């Protein structure tokens, strides 16, 4: 549901800083709490996702209808056999939480990659060629922005049938607008720099110029947008799954777990607070990292 | 200015038409509408009759052109579920959604502008950091989850607020918070950035040097200038909120267009979904257009771009 | 700077007080509190009815409202199933296609218009005509026309012999006021419905609520009894969870289709009553036995039987239903006429399931898509059971129309569906819908079709029973369906309320009262 606030603010603030020496950046980011915190948290999530089979005490899909809705360990009736209790089908909640991180991260990463490729291609093309290409890209971006994302995503998923692949593709094809906007302005600024004009004069092909001269210079802005869009994709997947048109059961998706748990949220509230909090923390981590990186790479602190 | 206006209008129009085509194709592609209209227990003959009655048996482009022509004359078709004009359905429910959107925006502005100003006055202070954290937190909160937590804590445990429906303005408090907080970070940052910039500008320094009282400087000059970009951002955010209302309205049982869209999608009432997609898009396009014109009016440099 | 800060510290405070002021002004028109105290029964439904005007609606919720606003010629007691006099005091079959009715005298519509033969003739002649564009054609399609024999005497002509005529007259055929309807038309009836029923509509808020008031002039001898509660409010709350929150906080008084786990917690709350009542709805898995969706393991009867043995229906019924559900083995609801219960029963036996799979050539199972539209948790439980014998089923959930369309057009290999028989207590409303060559018949079994046709057309109960029995046995042996369970509804309502759930899936609010 969370619409991307594509704003003049994001567009303007992400203006690419000429890439400073890596050493200086590293020193800065070390000093920068949010990069550290966000990075650490994200790393933790990635580590959990990678090692989920080792960490999970049970098979996340193994249901046992005689062990339904067991309370978590901190409540009077809980036990360490199921530290976070079990869900409506008697599946171990901790194991499902651990595996759920994979769904969120995979969807976030893949959707971000797809949208990144589309948006960057459009943005760089618009910024580099300008003129008509710019007009067309501007038109496509405006069209995309004016469509209500959730409604369109829901409609497409309803048509194509909901599965992990469909959801990833839909999100990937819907969330490229910010990439395009930022990449366009970033490319425009770099385009007129001396070495690019020099490369052109040397007769380098457009592709080579874009790949070797322009992309490395807009990389900073790209990374920042990538983190924001990854967070955005994760939230949207959760929302779609919550509405029943995202990832399908029995795949453990945190959004789906909130949706399934809410039936009994007034009596067993941990069923929605835990997966919701996990989503919140993951998105928070990614946003903090992105924010921090933006500040680190911007010339004069955050602004 | 006139050239800019014409160009901008043409773009808006072209976008609107494109959105209408995309919406039409997307929604028509999703399953057999006739089966949905005929309902549970319908026979093949019933379905065939429905198909003919609604003209679903003709080619898509023909259906589109006919639909577009009608749309331009204000006829959005009939809901296959309610069997009343879509325009009427939307008109009945739009006030709820607009009110929700407005209240959400008020909430977002009331929270974010003061925070942004305070943060700008003391950059890197504790307050500044707190404001930033609040913003980051807000952005990371899944709004469906936030809505459920509000119902749980304020509605069921605390019994402080009514949970659903539109009985009174109090009914809008939880939905407006759940919908509005997401816009807070962006507006806050923009306010802060604007304030920092304006405070550092020559004329504010001059004003201060001339001995004007700081409070007056801040309100009369700094805030006013800093808030200008916020206005256009708020316009755009309002557009986003309308489409974000789909989940929120369903959870809080607010009979607005968002809930109507979601339920209509579930029961394959495509004329309604189509009408709402188009309406939301047009509202967004208009808001964006207004924001652009507003900016152009304020800042002559844009007009030539 | 400190002075500035003070000013700006006040800003959020200012904003906050503004918001609070807004809230305070909003406090004044406090919503009417539901419940016994102000004699208002508020009930919540998930869906908004497509039309209050009954003939423009097909939803079950429309039936609930119609029972409040209108009356029918005949009344069917939801508990005994017996037909009792409604607006008609007596009726007589003249021949197989003609029925005579004597009408009740002294009944008036809510607008004061007196009720007589003209209204009945109008209702039963106009709505069956194509120009009325009735949404549920099957409700009226069997009627030819009606004739006035006297001010309180009417003759109804059927197009063909129709054994279910009384059943239909008792339900989807409310009697409309002729003069009023002819004056205001369908739109007027929608905006301000008028009937003879126990409650009249006083206010409609689109998408949100419909308010009813007791009809003080309701006729005394109605089989529905005298209405007891002063006001009834129907609220549309699409999210079941929100309904529950409202029930717990007293915002609404009555909800239904409560989930098992919710029911368990609600039972512990003294201010609420929780009751289960069985309905005619059954759940079933339908298999693409004829291979219409392309070759699949399911064309092999052993595989279908293996699935039947692999799913622990009893455990699902015991653990996932709130109460009142039972395992069903027939492709019909056990209490329907002709629904022979001696058919093959498939025990939960995963070992046997594995053996059957191995015999069919799938010792390691296979992958399959399970389509469905409701009760995702039940579907998930079945997927879990299938996994235990090596069948990897993935869920594909969609809207009812889309999934039914998939099945009809031969795109579904396996689907989890339900069927409520439109609350008609006869196998012709269940099994026959799916196995007699119609759009829903994807099995194409001539033997089953022949027997069902025999049962549907015969008037001899013994012949019908025997024919249906043969068909049901073959369906079970071939495992075209795996019938799963009956669907009880669980109701939760304020303990102040006297309310009796019935098996017809229609809550009868006109008969409810306060304790």
């Amino acid at each position: 549901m969370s619409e991307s606030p594509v704003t003049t603010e994001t567009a303007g603030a992400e203006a690419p800083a000429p890439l400073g020496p890596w050493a200086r950046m590293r020193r800065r980011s070390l000093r920068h709490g949010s990069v550290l915190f966000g990075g650490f948290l994200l790393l933790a999530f990635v580590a959990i996702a990678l090692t989920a089979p080792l960490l999970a005490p049970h098979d996340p899909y193994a249901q046992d209808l005689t062990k339904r809705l067991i309370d978590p360990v901190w409540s009077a009736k809980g036990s360490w056999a199921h530290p976070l209790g079990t869900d409506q089908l008697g599946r171990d909640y901790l194991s499902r939480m651990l595996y759920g991180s994979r769904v969120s991260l995979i969807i976030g990463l893949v959707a971000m990659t797809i949208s990144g490729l589309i948006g960057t291609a459009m943005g760089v093309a618009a910024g580099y060629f300008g003129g008509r290409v710019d007009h067309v890209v501007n038109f496509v971006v405006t069209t995309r922005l004016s469509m209500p994302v959730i409604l369109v995503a829901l409609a497409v998923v309803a048509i194509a049938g909901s599965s992990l692949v469909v959801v990833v593709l839909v999100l990937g094809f819907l969330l490229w607008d910010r990439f395009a906007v930022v990449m366009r302005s970033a490319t425009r600024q770099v385009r007129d720099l001396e070495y690019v004009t020099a490369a052109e004069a040397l007769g380098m092909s457009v592709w080579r110029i874009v790949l070797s001269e322009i992309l490395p210079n807009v990389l900073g802005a790209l990374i920042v947008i990538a983190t924001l869009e990854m967070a955005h994709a994760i939230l949207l997947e959760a929302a779609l799954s919550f509405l029943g048109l995202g990832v399908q059961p029995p795949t453990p998706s945190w959004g789906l777990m909130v949706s399934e748990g809410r039936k009994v949220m007034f009596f067993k509230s941990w069923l929605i607070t835990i997966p919701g909090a996990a989503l919140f923390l993951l998105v928070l981590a990614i946003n903090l990292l992105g924010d921090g990186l933006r500040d680190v790479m911007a010339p004069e602190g955050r602004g | 200015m006139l050239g800019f206006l014409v160009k901008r209008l043409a773009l808006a129009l072209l976008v609107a038409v494109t959105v209408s085509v995309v919406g039409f194709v997307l929604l028509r592609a999703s399953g057999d509408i006739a089966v949905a209209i005929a309902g549970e227990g319908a026979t093949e003959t019933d379905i065939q009759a429905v198909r003919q009655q609604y003209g679903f048996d003709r080619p898509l482009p023909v259906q589109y052109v006919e639909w577009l022509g009608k749309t331009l004359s204000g006829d959005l078709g009939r809901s296959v579920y309610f069997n009343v004009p879509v325009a009427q359905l939307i008109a009945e429910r739009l006030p709820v959604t607009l009110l929700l959107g407005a209240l959400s925006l008020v909430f977002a502005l009331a929270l974010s502008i003061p925070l942004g100003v305070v943060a700008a006055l003391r950059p890197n202070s504790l307050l500044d950091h707190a404001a930033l954290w609040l913003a980051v937190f807000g952005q990371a909160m899944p709004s469906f989850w936030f809505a459920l937590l509000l119902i749980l804590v304020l509605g069921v445990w605390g019994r402080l607020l009514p949970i659903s429906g539109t009985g009174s303005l109090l009914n809008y408090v939880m939905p407006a918070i759940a919908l509005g907080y997401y816009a807070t970070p962006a507006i806050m940052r923009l306010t802060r950035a604007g304030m920092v910039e304006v405070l550092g500008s020559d004329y504010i320094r001059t004003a201060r040097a001339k001995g004007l009282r700081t409070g007056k400087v801040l309100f009369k000059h700094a805030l006013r200038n800093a808030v200008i970009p916020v206005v256009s951002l708020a316009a755009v955010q309002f557009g986003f909120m309308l489409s974000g209302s789909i989940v929120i309205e369903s959870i809080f049982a607010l009979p607005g267009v968002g809930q109507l869209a979601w339920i209509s999608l579930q029961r394959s009432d495509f004329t309604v979904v189509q009408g709402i997609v188009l309406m939301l898009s047009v509202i967004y396009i208009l808001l964006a257009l207004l924001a652009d014109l507003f900016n152009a009016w304020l800042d002559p440099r844009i007009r030539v771009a | 700077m400190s002075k500035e800060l003070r000013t700006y510290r006040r800003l959020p405070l200012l904003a906050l007080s503004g918001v609070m002021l807004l809230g305070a002004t909003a406090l004044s028109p406090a919503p009417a509190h539901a419940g016994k105290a102000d004699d208002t029964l508020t009930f919540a439904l998930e869906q908004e009815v497509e039309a209050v005007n009954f003939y423009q609606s097909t939803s079950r919720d429309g039936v609930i409202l119609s029972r409040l606003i209108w009356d029918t010629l005949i009344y069917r007691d939801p508990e005994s199933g017996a037909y009792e006099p409604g607006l008609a005091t007596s009726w007589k079959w003249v021949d197989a296609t003609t029925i005579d009715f004597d009408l009740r005298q002294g009944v008036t519509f809510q607008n004061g218009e007196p009720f007589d033969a003209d209204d009945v003739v109008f209702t039963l002649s106009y709505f069956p005509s194509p120009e009325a564009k009735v949404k549920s054609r099957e409700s009226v399609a069997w009627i030819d026309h009606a004739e006035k024999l006297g001010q309180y005497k009417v003759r109804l002509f059927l197009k063909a012999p129709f054994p279910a005529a009384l059943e239909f007259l008792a339900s989807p055929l409310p009697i409309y006021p002729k003069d009023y309807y002819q004056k205001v038309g369908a739109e007027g009836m929608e905006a301000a419905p008028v009937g003879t029923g126990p409650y009249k509509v006083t206010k409609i808020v689109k998408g949100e609520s419909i308010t009813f008031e007791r009809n003080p002039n309701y006729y005394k001898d109605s089989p529905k009894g005298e209405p007891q509660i002063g006001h009834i409010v129907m609220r549309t709350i699409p999210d079941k969870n929100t309904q529950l929150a409202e029930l717990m906080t007293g915002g609404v008084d009555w909800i239904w289709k409560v989930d098992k786990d919710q029911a368990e917690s609600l039972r512990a709350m003294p201010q609420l009553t929780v009751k289960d009542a069985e309905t005619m709805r059954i759940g079933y898995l339908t298999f693409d036995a004829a291979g219409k969706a392309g070759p699949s393991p399911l064309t092999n009867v052993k595989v279908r039987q293996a699935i039947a043995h692999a799913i622990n229906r009893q455990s699902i019924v015991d653990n996932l239903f709130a109460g009142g559900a039972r395992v069903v083995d027939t492709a019909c609801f056990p209490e329907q006429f002709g629904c022979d219960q001696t058919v093959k029963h498939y025990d939960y036996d995963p070992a046997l399931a594995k053996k059957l799979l191995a015999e069919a050539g799938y010792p390691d199972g296979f992958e399959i898509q399970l389509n469905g539209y409701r009760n995702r948790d039940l579907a998930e439980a079945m997927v879990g059971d299938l996994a235990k014998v090596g069948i990897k089923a993935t869920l594909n959930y969609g809207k009812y129309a889309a999934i039914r369309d998939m099945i009809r057009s031969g795109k579904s290999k396996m689907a989890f569906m339900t069927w409520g028989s439109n609350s008609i207590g006869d196998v012709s409303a269940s099994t026959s819908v799916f196995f007699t060559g119609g759009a829903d018949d994807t099995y194409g079994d001539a033997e089953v079709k022949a027997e069902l046709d025999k049962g549907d057309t015969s008037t001899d109960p013994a012949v019908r029973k025997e024919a249906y029995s043969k068909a049901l046995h073959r369906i079970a042996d071939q495992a075209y369906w795996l019938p799963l369970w009956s669907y009880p509804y669980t109701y939760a309502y304020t303990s102040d309320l006297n309310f009796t759930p019935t098996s017809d899936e229609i809550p009868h609010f006109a008969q409810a009262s306060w304790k």
Side-chain angles (χ1 to χ4, degrees):
Chain A
M1 57 223 54
S2 22
E3 272 289 355
S4 74
V6 178
T7 65
T8 41
E9 175 248 356
T10 13
E14 260 91 73
L19 206 70
W22 283 102
R24 210 173 72 206
M25 249 184 67
R26 203 165 50 235
R27 248 203 326 273
R28 267 212 229 157
S29 51
L30 278 177
R31 252 188 284 145
H32 213 290
S34 70
V35 173
L36 257 184
F37 184 72
F40 176 77
L41 208 55
L42 184 59
L43 255 169
F45 275 111
V46 172
I48 287 171
L50 289 176
T51 58
L54 300 174
L55 296 174
H58 298 271
D59 175 355
Y61 297 98
Q63 73 182 35
D64 183 348
L65 295 184
T66 59
K67 290 187 182 161
R68 306 176 59 249
L69 297 171
I70 292 176
D71 289 349
V73 67
W74 57 83
S75 77
K77 283 183 270 173
S79 83
W80 280 106
H82 298 283
L84 297 183
T86 58
D87 69 3
Q88 292 90 324
L89 293 176
R91 297 174 296 203
D92 182 58
Y93 219 51
L94 174 63
S95 307
R96 289 184 72 73
M97 284 301 304
L98 295 173
Y99 275 87
S101 62
R102 295 182 151 193
V103 173
S104 284
L105 282 171
I106 286 174
I107 288 190
L109 275 173
V110 180
M112 176 258 280
T113 310
I114 295 173
S115 55
L117 286 175
I118 299 172
T120 307
M122 289 176 72
V124 170
Y128 186 84
F129 296 109
R132 277 209 191 138
V133 180
D134 192 19
H135 281 307
V136 171
V137 168
N138 184 27
F139 165 70
V140 177
V141 170
T142 317
T143 308
R144 158 48 208 95
L145 277 178
S146 67
M147 289 196 284
V149 170
I150 288 257
L151 201 48
V152 172
L154 284 174
V156 176
V157 173
I159 299 164
S162 35
S163 69
L164 203 121
V165 177
V166 172
V167 172
V168 163
L169 288 178
V170 167
L171 294 180
F173 280 98
L174 275 176
L175 300 181
W176 45 261
D177 48 88
R178 220 180 329 201
F179 280 105
V181 171
V182 173
M183 281 306 151
R184 174 182 166 275
S185 61
T187 308
R188 252 174 124 173
Q189 288 180 17
V190 180
R191 200 206 174 293
D192 297 326
L193 292 181
E194 263 171 51
Y195 53 86
V196 176
T197 27
E200 259 178 344
L202 282 172
M204 271 170 83
S205 76
V206 174
W207 276 111
R208 273 198 62 193
I209 294 174
V210 168
L211 284 177
S212 64
E213 306 296 333
I214 296 195
L215 269 186
N217 277 289
V218 296
L219 200 61
L222 193 63
I223 290 172
V224 172
I225 298 301
T227 58
L228 287 175
E229 284 310 323
M230 182 172 167
H232 194 191
I234 289 172
L235 279 178
L236 270 178
E237 177 275 317
L240 288 179
S241 298
F242 174 78
L243 289 172
L245 282 173
V247 175
Q248 291 295 300
T251 312
S253 145
W254 290 339
L256 194 61
M257 288 169 79
V258 172
S259 171
E260 291 181 339
R262 78 187 156 137
K263 272 187 183 172
V264 285
M265 62 179 256
F266 303 119
F267 317 110
K268 296 174 184 297
S269 50
W270 85 87
L271 285 174
I272 67 153
T273 46
I274 293 174
L279 264 174
F280 171 71
L281 279 179
L282 175 59
V283 175
L284 182 71
I286 298 171
N287 277 342
L288 279 178
L289 187 66
D291 265 9
L293 286 176
R294 169 168 57 197
D295 295 351
V296 170
M297 284 181 291
E300 310 119 44
R302 79 193 155 92
Chain B
M1 186 71 188
L2 194 70
F4 171 76
L5 194 71
V6 169
K7 251 195 227 164
R8 195 59 193 74
L9 275 175
L11 178 68
L13 204 67
L14 201 59
V15 168
V17 170
T18 314
V19 169
S20 78
V21 176
V22 172
F24 186 86
V25 171
L26 271 186
L27 294 168
R28 277 308 160 91
S30 81
D32 193 333
I33 314 174
V35 175
I37 301 168
E40 183 173 357
T43 64
E44 189 55 39
T45 336
D46 292 344
I47 295 169
Q48 201 55 46
V50 167
R51 226 167 254 149
Q52 278 172 4
Q53 188 191 335
Y54 288 90
F56 297 145
D57 45 358
R58 295 168 304 160
L60 267 188
V62 175
Q63 292 187 46
Y64 172 74
V65 170
E66 189 199 59
W67 172 79
L68 186 67
K70 283 184 176 171
T71 301
L72 289 176
S73 63
D75 176 5
L76 293 172
R78 287 178 94 82
S79 156
V80 292
Y81 181 76
F82 291 104
N83 195 27
V84 298
V86 172
Q88 180 194 328
L89 275 180
I90 292 179
E92 278 164 5
R93 285 148 218 256
L94 195 56
V96 170
T97 303
L98 289 181
L99 181 59
L100 174 62
L103 290 175
S104 307
L105 194 62
V106 168
F107 169 77
L109 291 174
L111 193 66
S112 55
I113 292 187
L115 271 178
V117 170
V118 173
L121 285 177
R122 281 286 176 91
N124 292 316
S125 70
L126 206 64
L127 262 173
D128 183 20
H129 282 287
L132 181 78
W133 274 95
L134 199 81
V136 176
F137 265 63
Q139 237 169 1
M141 189 90 94
S143 59
F144 62 90
W145 186 60
F146 191 37
L148 292 183
L149 290 185
L150 285 174
I151 290 184
L152 182 67
V153 176
L154 297 182
V156 174
W157 289 349
R159 309 226 169 169
L160 296 171
L161 289 165
I163 294 162
S164 67
T166 59
S168 73
L169 267 185
L170 270 188
N171 289 65
Y172 284 92
V173 174
M174 286 202 276
I177 294 174
L179 191 56
Y181 81 91
Y182 193 77
T184 309
I187 301 178
M188 193 218 76
R189 283 173 197 212
L190 193 58
T191 312
R192 182 189 174 279
M195 281 299 280
V196 167
E197 195 183 326
V198 176
L199 284 176
S201 66
D202 290 341
Y203 73 94
I204 293 286
R205 277 196 229 126
T206 321
R208 279 190 180 169
K210 281 202 297 197
L212 283 174
R213 280 187 34 231
T214 33
K216 200 172 168 194
V217 172
L218 277 167
F219 271 113
K220 217 177 157 192
H221 301 282
L223 188 56
R224 208 171 61 182
N225 282 305
V227 155
I228 284 168
V230 172
V231 173
S232 55
L233 174 62
V236 172
Q237 288 288 344
F238 185 72
F240 285 136
M241 274 174 192
L242 292 187
S243 70
S245 64
I246 289 170
V247 189
I248 297 300
E249 283 181 7
S250 300
I251 290 180
F252 292 101
L254 294 176
V257 286
Q259 193 203 97
L260 182 66
W262 168 230
I263 293 174
S264 297
L265 189 68
Q266 283 176 300
R267 57 185 166 218
S268 305
D269 196 348
F270 295 108
T271 24
V272 178
V273 181
Q274 210 173 23
I276 294 174
V277 168
L278 192 68
M279 183 209 64
L280 289 177
S281 299
V282 168
I283 290 183
Y284 178 89
I285 292 167
L286 284 178
L287 286 173
L289 182 67
L290 283 176
D292 274 8
L293 295 181
F294 181 69
N295 278 341
W297 176 63
L298 285 175
D299 186 351
R301 280 172 303 173
I302 299 177
R303 286 176 222 161
V304 283
Chain C
M1 259 324 227
S2 65
K3 197 174 161 198
E4 280 166 24
L5 243 169
R6 236 177 292 133
T7 317
Y8 289 98
R9 264 190 197 141
R10 267 186 231 132
L11 262 180
L13 221 84
L14 273 169
L16 192 71
S17 48
V19 169
M20 279 166 78
L21 200 75
L22 205 75
T25 48
L27 260 173
S28 35
H33 244 281
K36 189 181 177 183
D38 57 359
D39 200 15
T40 302
L41 168 64
T42 306
F43 68 98
L45 297 179
E46 274 173 274
Q47 287 230 17
E48 181 184 5
V49 290
E50 64 259 62
V52 185
N53 176 7
F54 184 77
Y55 290 102
Q56 288 306 320
S57 130
T58 54
S59 70
R60 193 163 284 278
D61 295 349
V63 180
I64 300 172
L65 302 185
S66 83
R67 296 293 167 93
L68 294 172
I69 308 169
W70 293 282
D71 289 312
T72 43
L73 287 177
I74 300 173
Y75 177 80
R76 194 186 68 163
D77 188 297
E79 281 170 77
S80 68
Y83 296 115
E84 291 172 19
L87 288 174
T89 49
S90 67
W91 55 92
K92 205 177 94 207
W93 284 90
V94 179
D95 57 43
T97 57
T98 317
I99 318 175
D100 278 358
F101 294 91
D102 285 314
L103 304 180
R104 194 178 292 274
Q105 305 188 12
V107 177
T108 53
F109 285 97
Q110 289 151 2
N111 63 347
E113 191 179 329
F115 159 83
D116 63 14
D118 288 334
D119 302 302
V120 177
V121 169
F122 165 72
T123 303
L124 296 181
S125 298
Y126 174 69
F127 290 108
S129 71
E131 66 183 290
K133 287 193 180 149
V134 169
K135 213 161 180 195
S136 169
R137 284 293 304 161
E138 61 186 17
S139 304
V140 291
W142 54 280
I143 298 174
D144 194 71
H145 71 288
E147 265 176 33
K148 183 177 177 180
L149 299 180
Q151 198 189 350
Y152 295 103
K153 211 165 169 51
V154 169
R155 175 165 288 181
L156 179 66
F157 295 91
L158 280 56
K159 283 183 180 151
F162 187 64
L166 295 186
E167 178 75 36
F168 274 72
L169 286 166
S171 184
L173 290 163
I175 303 301
Y176 273 30
K178 180 187 177 199
D179 294 346
Y180 180 72
Y181 193 88
Q182 286 186 333
K183 200 174 95 200
V184 301
E187 275 86 28
M189 198 53 145
E190 181 62 37
V194 167
T196 57
Y199 285 88
K200 57 182 179 190
V201 174
T202 55
K203 194 174 152 204
I204 299 176
V205 183
K206 291 283 177 193
E208 183 166 14
S209 65
I210 300 176
T211 308
F212 299 88
E213 186 184 270
R214 181 169 46 203
N215 176 4
N217 304 318
Y218 192 55
Y219 67 97
K220 291 285 173 286
D221 310 320
S222 167
K224 291 181 187 171
E226 212 175 314
Q228 301 293 316
I229 293 171
H231 301 269
I232 295 181
V233 178
M234 184 225 83
R235 280 197 54 198
T236 302
I237 305 181
D239 192 314
K240 297 285 300 173
N241 208 43
T242 308
Q243 289 186 2
L244 187 68
E246 287 284 15
L247 180 75
M248 289 166 59
T249 55
V252 302
D253 304 306
W254 182 100
I255 63 173
W256 67 342
K257 303 179 191 174
V258 178
D259 175 79
K260 172 198 168 70
D261 301 303
Q262 297 173 344
E264 265 166 25
S265 301
L266 293 178
R267 275 184 228 273
M269 304 174 95
Q271 79 272 28
L272 297 175
T273 303
V274 180
K275 267 195 194 167
D276 311 302
E278 203 171 34
T279 68
M280 276 191 198
R281 189 166 293 276
I282 58 167
Y284 62 93
L285 290 181
T286 165
F287 304 115
D288 179 32
K292 287 199 167 182
S296 80
L298 296 173
T299 53
N300 187 327
V301 64
K302 285 194 172 161
V303 172
R304 302 197 294 271
Q305 290 175 334
I307 291 173
H309 283 297
I311 292 173
N312 194 345
R313 294 177 287 168
Q314 193 61 50
S315 165
I316 292 174
V317 164
D318 291 344
N319 291 297
L320 295 178
F321 279 94
R326 54 175 152 164
V327 169
V328 171
D329 290 314
T330 45
C332 47
F333 179 69
E335 255 79 284
Q336 282 179 316
F337 177 85
C339 193
D340 184 6
Q341 293 300 297
T342 63
V343 302
K344 185 174 167 68
H345 169 78
Y346 294 90
D347 277 325
Y348 174 58
D349 190 343
L352 179 56
K354 273 191 178 156
K355 193 172 146 252
L356 285 165
L357 281 176
E359 285 172 20
Y362 303 96
D364 303 319
F366 51 87
E367 288 183 16
I368 192 93
Q369 179 170 296
L370 174 59
N371 303 303
Y373 76 104
R374 71 184 259 176
N375 302 103
R376 209 181 272 263
D377 52 338
L378 303 181
E380 272 194 76
M382 289 191 275
V383 168
D385 280 344
L386 290 174
K388 286 177 193 160
V389 298
I391 300 172
K392 284 177 253 340
T394 48
L395 283 186
N396 168 48
Y397 257 64
K399 297 153 290 184
Y400 175 78
I403 300 299
R404 192 180 193 191
D405 192 38
M406 272 182 83
I407 299 170
R408 285 180 162 178
S409 56
K411 287 180 192 129
S412 162
K413 291 186 170 149
M414 179 157 88
F416 167 37
M417 304 297 282
T418 77
W419 185 249
S421 302
N422 296 312
S423 297
I424 293 169
D426 195 286
V427 165
S428 61
S430 53
T431 322
S432 300
V433 174
F434 296 94
F435 291 93
T436 52
D440 289 298
D441 186 353
T442 60
Y443 322 94
D445 186 314
E447 196 182 321
V448 172
K449 178 176 163 26
E451 293 297 341
L452 288 173
D453 283 343
K454 200 201 247 174
D456 288 350
T457 49
S458 169
T459 47
D460 181 350
V463 175
R464 295 189 72 203
K465 269 191 181 165
E466 198 199 327
Y468 286 145
S469 171
K470 279 186 187 157
L472 290 168
H473 270 95
R474 177 153 172 88
I475 291 167
D477 292 341
Q478 288 295 315
Y480 292 132
W481 275 20
L482 174 61
L484 298 166
W485 37 66
S486 65
Y487 271 89
Y489 280 172
T490 300
Y491 302 72
Y493 45 89
T494 167
S495 300
D496 290 335
L497 190 71
N498 283 313
F499 175 82
T500 314
T502 48
S503 69
D504 55 2
E505 292 186 64
I506 298 164
H508 301 274
F509 292 114
Q511 278 104 317
S513 62
W514 299 116
K515 276 187 182 150

